[in-house]
Amino acid sequence: MAHDTYRVKGMHCASCASIIEKTLKKVNGVQSVEVNYGTETAKVTFDEAKTNPRHLSQKIEPLGYSLSLSAPASAEPTAASMGMSENEHAAHLGLNQTKEEKLAELAGMKRMLMSALPLAALAAAGMMWGIAVRLAFLPNSSALTSALGFFTPLAATYMLFVVGRPYLLGFYRFLRYGHANMDTLIGIGTSAAYIYSVAVSIFAKELTPFINVDSTYYDVTIIVIAFITLGKYLEAQSKLKTGDAIEKLLNLQAKTALIIRDGKELEIPVDQVVQGDLIVVKPAGRIPVDGILTEGSSYVDESMITGEPMPVKKAAGDTVVAGTLNTSGSFTFKATKVGSETMLAHIVKMVEEAQGSRAPIQALADKISGVFVPIVLIVAFLALASWLVVGSQYLGFAQALSFGLVSFVGVLVIACPCALGLATPTAIIVGVGKGAREGILIKDAATLEKLHKVDVILVDKTGTITRGRPELMSIKNLSEKSDTDIIAILSSLENRSEHPIAHAVVNYAKEKDIALLPVEQFEIIKGKGLGGVINGVEYRVGSEKLARELGATFASLEKDTSEGKTPVILAASGKALAVVMVADQVKPESVQAVKDLHVLGIKIVMLTGDDKNTARFIADQVGIDEVVAEVLPEDKLKKIQALQASGLVVAMAGDGVNDAPALAQADVGIAMATGTDVAIESAGITLLHGDISKLVKAVRLSKMTMRGIKQNLFWAFIYNIVGIPLASGVFFPFFGWLLSPVFAGLAMAFSSVSVVVNSLRLKAKAL
């Protein structure tokens, strides 16, 4: 079975997506089809022995659509596509020509619009003049009447057959193949108004006994097509902006790399870089591929990848990521991942897949869109028939036919399912893109939707609530030596050890610029500590147990150990010289993040393998609701299952590796990624260089996106719920209200635009 995603050309509305799905599902060998109007893509699963992409495209070509077969939209960005020139970068899906095609289409629409708007303005002015004459506000003018009588038929003919050609094709395909979409509705409506008007103009004398020949609807054809063309242009322009997250990510890619080969610096295109190349990065240079620093140091701005505003210090042994910006020093690094293997390429792939996925909430809109156009056609014909049958009895046939035609055209024009089809995907595209810029990678739309329903979040202690590395917290000096001397002795001895606690002491000395002393006769005291001779004095460093065995005395350390601190005791000649406390500190942002999550109505449970006292102390510092300590990975899984069994929606935030079973069990798995090697596909959401404050942003993003979708669906539905009855004449007997097709066209055009603009508002909102 092949599973590919293809771009679809020719889609104009949500009902187009339904037509394509139904047609492709009938093809022998096709297992499943999922068409997304927002991203203009089709995900197809098919048996390659029975069909192929070319055959699938041929099946929908008579209906006005085609599959773009140059490359599957799901393909990972290649080394070449990730190193494109300024004018070639892709706006969507990492494919070279996408943006060029869209801009060319937009330019064509603009040309049509530039010819249509002046004609619409003149037609509208003529229509307003006619109304003013009928109401006796202005005197009649035979010259102006003659001019309008000559102008409007010509303008309507141009508008229908040139500007409105896509709608006529929609009408033609409906007659030939029985498939109707938005273009069909507009084509039938404007054609009906035009044909009626032409018949009145040519056969006025013959038709006088039957209908009102004083009224024609050329202006309706002109203005409706102009408004809809304007709406489609604004919609296309806005949709380009919804997908600019990938374009911005692709723009981060360096075009060239400065490599060292045969002892010489050589500048080459980035797609020619291979693993193992040594690459030189100078100040203000963009890092071309992923790698590990071998020489030099600098501060690197990783904000466009991680969302973190402060540049990160990089030295030998540290990793660097393609697309990030070197701010100060020069350095050399070894390329470890190139082309489609880089983290930037993975992020682009993940973002485009998430933007093309469907949220469960979209299912309702899809179902409605699928049957909407046929229902609207029935409603329009019923409205016309009702006017002719019922209206004729009260208004006379001529007036009833006039009103019936207005209703028929009005219903067809206003009842556009475009807004309905755009409601969910545009918000998802913007939401996923906004998340990517904040370092929040979302795997699919379903995960984004689930996150806003979460009741409880389970978090690990180490690395999530705490910094994840021990730090020296305090020094209790019991000797006559200065604190500096104590730290110099301690760090000199600990520098020979690989224990995390030893790193805490040595790092403290480095921060304070305390020089190390020469150590002789160094030894490891297994399970207890270490020892050595400095300046002729034999020292021992280790646990409370080791110090007691040496005969050293000191005050009780029970209070400190109950708070999760680990004592490191320096002793010499059987006496304790100092006690330093080492602990994994709470991140400063953890306290505020937990408060923010509580405001969002979410309960926080901390899971840790640490002892209960330490865990409880940390939890109390941060304000966590519940602590489950001394747990194994399988215990985390059981806790999640128990919470789910009680009816709660559970999210689990872990490191994405050790917590894999728990992340898989949770309704939403969130990987707190701390390095470029983490598999960003391992959870529903990945927080790059993540901390718990990003978790808050992820929840806010989810709630904000879902709120935007619901607003979009409300406006999409309200346009039709109010517009269709108004256009069909339901309110006419009671209030005399009847919606002109001109205003129906305006409402329809701006319904789609309002949905896209509402989605774009998400970009400006702070998380």
Side-chain angles (χ1 to χ4, degrees):
M1 282 287 176
H3 309 270
D4 283 326
T5 301
Y6 299 96
R7 288 188 296 118
V8 182
K9 295 181 180 179
M11 289 179 69
H12 301 297
C13 64
S15 54
C16 294
S18 176
I19 291 168
I20 295 166
E21 278 192 8
K22 288 176 181 175
T23 305
L24 291 180
K25 281 178 180 176
K26 293 177 183 176
V27 177
N28 184 36
V30 172
Q31 188 177 59
S32 66
V33 184
E34 188 178 290
V35 181
N36 189 318
Y37 171 48
T39 54
E40 298 173 11
T41 57
K43 291 183 181 179
V44 190
T45 301
F46 60 93
D47 186 344
E48 292 175 290
K50 295 180 179 179
T51 188
N52 57 66
R54 172 62 60 194
H55 180 236
L56 295 176
S57 184
Q58 288 170 350
K59 286 291 182 182
I60 58 174
E61 281 168 8
L63 307 178
Y65 316 108
S66 64
L67 300 181
S68 181
L69 303 177
S70 56
S74 60
E76 288 190 23
T78 62
S81 70
M82 291 297 294
M84 295 177 282
S85 70
E86 288 290 342
N87 296 325
E88 291 176 331
H89 60 253
H92 305 288
L93 313 178
L95 301 175
N96 282 340
Q97 297 303 309
T98 307
K99 189 178 184 185
E100 287 186 358
E101 287 178 356
K102 286 186 176 296
L103 290 175
E105 183 183 351
L106 207 58
M109 291 172 70
K110 188 176 181 179
R111 285 193 296 272
M112 286 294 183
L113 194 59
M114 290 301 99
S115 66
L117 287 180
L119 297 179
L122 289 171
M127 187 172 66
M128 296 304 293
W129 177 78
I131 292 170
V133 168
R134 281 197 293 273
L135 296 174
F137 291 146
L138 291 173
N140 198 357
S141 167
S142 57
L144 190 54
T145 301
S146 298
L148 287 172
F150 178 75
F151 161 74
T152 53
L154 289 177
T157 302
Y158 171 78
M159 291 294 282
L160 183 63
F161 292 99
V162 179
V163 181
R165 186 172 178 271
Y167 313 122
L168 287 179
L169 287 174
F171 189 5
Y172 163 75
R173 291 187 184 110
F174 170 65
L175 294 175
R176 182 167 181 182
Y177 301 106
H179 292 295
N181 61 8
M182 184 210 81
D183 289 351
T184 306
L185 300 181
I186 305 305
I188 294 173
T190 53
S191 296
Y194 178 80
I195 292 167
Y196 175 89
S197 302
V198 169
V200 167
S201 298
I202 297 174
F203 305 107
K205 288 183 180 179
E206 291 83 351
L207 294 173
T208 299
F210 308 105
I211 61 174
N212 181 9
V213 295
D214 294 331
S215 297
T216 57
Y217 297 99
Y218 292 120
D219 49 6
V220 168
T221 301
I222 297 166
I223 297 171
V224 164
I225 290 176
F227 278 155
I228 290 165
T229 304
L230 173 63
K232 289 182 79 170
Y233 173 76
L234 294 174
E235 177 191 315
Q237 200 172 46
S238 299
K239 277 177 70 180
L240 267 182
K241 294 176 185 175
T242 63
D244 65 2
I246 290 178
E247 183 176 7
K248 286 180 180 177
L249 285 170
L250 288 170
N251 278 334
L252 296 177
Q253 177 66 41
K255 306 299 180 288
T256 60
L258 190 62
I259 67 168
I260 300 174
R261 284 185 185 165
D262 301 324
K264 296 180 181 179
E265 289 187 1
L266 177 67
E267 189 169 10
I268 63 171
V270 71
D271 57 300
Q272 293 179 18
V273 175
V274 296
Q275 286 185 1
D277 272 341
L278 288 177
I279 301 170
V280 178
V281 181
K282 296 184 177 179
R286 203 168 281 284
I287 294 164
V289 296
D290 293 1
I292 298 175
L293 254 75
T294 58
E295 186 182 334
S297 64
S298 183
Y299 283 85
V300 175
D301 180 356
E302 298 182 331
S303 59
M304 287 302 289
I305 298 290
T306 67
E308 300 296 334
M310 294 297 292
V312 180
K313 187 175 182 180
K314 300 288 182 180
D318 290 335
T319 57
V320 289
V321 180
T324 55
L325 185 66
N326 180 31
T327 61
S328 52
S330 295
F331 59 84
T332 303
F333 76 93
K334 182 180 179 181
T336 57
K337 293 180 180 177
V338 299
S340 62
E341 296 176 350
T342 66
M343 190 177 194
L344 180 60
H346 277 295
I347 291 172
V348 169
K349 180 190 173 190
M350 194 172 185
V351 171
E352 62 98 353
E353 285 182 350
Q355 288 184 336
S357 63
R358 285 188 186 180
I361 196 172
Q362 192 174 339
L364 174 65
D366 287 346
K367 284 180 182 177
I368 293 172
S369 296
V371 298
F372 196 76
V373 171
I375 289 172
V376 168
L377 281 168
I378 293 168
V379 170
F381 280 106
L382 284 175
L384 176 59
S386 298
W387 276 107
L388 293 177
V389 174
V390 180
S392 298
Q393 299 177 26
Y394 300 96
L395 304 171
F397 180 79
Q399 190 65 45
L401 176 62
S402 181
F403 282 169
L405 185 64
V406 167
S407 292
F408 178 75
V409 177
V411 169
L412 292 176
V413 168
I414 200 170
C416 168
C418 283
L420 203 57
L422 288 168
T424 300
T426 52
I428 292 294
I429 290 167
V430 175
V432 168
K434 186 178 180 70
R437 289 194 295 275
E438 294 281 352
I440 301 165
L441 299 184
I442 297 154
K443 193 170 186 179
D444 53 44
T447 299
L448 191 62
E449 181 175 336
K450 278 183 199 169
L451 186 59
H452 96 286
K453 299 176 182 176
V454 163
D455 304 301
V456 56
I457 296 178
L458 282 69
V459 295
D460 192 25
K461 176 181 76 70
T462 306
T464 302
I465 301 297
T466 63
R467 293 184 188 276
R469 62 181 187 277
E471 296 178 25
L472 196 151
M473 305 287 291
S474 63
I475 305 168
K476 189 174 184 181
N477 195 337
L478 306 176
S479 71
E480 295 177 356
K481 295 180 182 291
S482 67
D483 287 356
T484 301
D485 290 340
I486 293 292
I487 294 299
I489 295 166
L490 267 172
S491 59
S492 299
L493 292 164
E494 296 282 22
N495 192 46
R496 303 288 189 92
S497 171
E498 290 300 318
H499 196 281
I501 289 176
H503 289 303
V505 176
V506 173
N507 288 339
Y508 182 84
K510 285 180 180 177
E511 288 172 10
K512 300 295 183 183
D513 289 325
I514 298 173
L516 298 180
L517 304 171
V519 178
E520 298 173 348
Q521 300 175 32
F522 177 80
E523 64 173 316
I524 297 288
I525 305 168
K526 194 171 181 180
K528 296 176 183 177
L530 48 84
V533 176
I534 298 176
N535 295 330
V537 179
E538 187 177 353
Y539 294 99
R540 292 288 183 268
V541 179
S543 64
E544 190 176 352
K545 183 179 180 182
L546 175 64
R548 300 281 187 205
E549 288 178 0
L550 295 171
T553 58
F554 41 85
S556 171
L557 303 175
E558 188 176 344
K559 181 178 182 297
D560 291 299
T561 54
S562 69
E563 294 176 356
K565 297 174 185 174
T566 301
V568 178
I569 301 164
L570 175 65
S573 305
K575 290 183 179 180
L577 302 181
V579 179
V580 299
M581 289 295 172
V582 174
D584 186 5
Q585 271 192 297
V586 169
K587 292 179 181 178
E589 60 269 20
S590 294
V591 177
Q592 186 58 48
V594 170
K595 283 181 183 176
D596 291 339
L597 288 170
H598 283 155
V599 169
L600 293 168
I602 296 172
K603 178 183 176 182
I604 312 298
V605 177
M606 186 172 80
L607 302 176
T608 179
D610 276 359
D611 70 88
K612 292 178 182 177
N613 290 334
T614 301
R616 188 70 260 175
F617 177 75
I618 297 291
D620 289 342
Q621 276 186 284
V622 180
I624 283 170
D625 302 292
E626 184 183 343
V627 176
V628 183
E630 300 172 9
V631 295
L632 298 171
E634 56 265 32
D635 297 323
K636 294 180 180 181
L637 186 65
K638 289 174 184 175
K639 179 62 179 177
I640 292 172
Q641 289 171 336
L643 289 167
Q644 289 172 328
S646 66
L648 297 173
V649 180
V650 181
M652 168 72 191
D655 61 15
V657 181
N658 298 332
D659 297 316
L663 288 169
Q665 177 64 38
D667 296 292
V668 180
I670 302 167
M672 310 288 281
T674 53
T676 59
D677 290 332
V678 72
I680 60 177
E681 295 89 354
S682 65
I685 293 175
T686 301
L687 308 181
L688 298 179
H689 290 250
D691 56 52
I692 196 170
S693 62
K694 271 215 176 76
L695 188 52
V696 179
K697 288 185 175 183
V699 175
R700 283 178 179 156
L701 177 67
S702 173
K703 289 182 179 291
M704 192 186 297
T705 305
M706 292 310 300
R707 192 160 51 243
I709 288 172
K710 288 171 183 176
Q711 289 168 351
N712 286 349
L713 288 172
F714 169 79
W715 286 113
F717 279 118
I718 209 73
Y719 271 111
N720 291 309
I721 289 169
V722 174
I724 292 175
L726 186 59
S728 63
V730 169
F731 300 110
F732 186 81
F734 310 104
F735 308 107
W737 296 349
L738 187 61
L739 186 68
S740 163
V742 169
F743 292 106
L746 186 63
M748 190 285 284
F750 285 97
S751 64
S752 298
V753 176
S754 64
V755 162
V756 178
V757 170
N758 188 54
S759 295
L760 287 171
R761 285 194 314 121
L762 293 172
K763 282 187 176 184
K765 289 187 177 181
L767 290 178

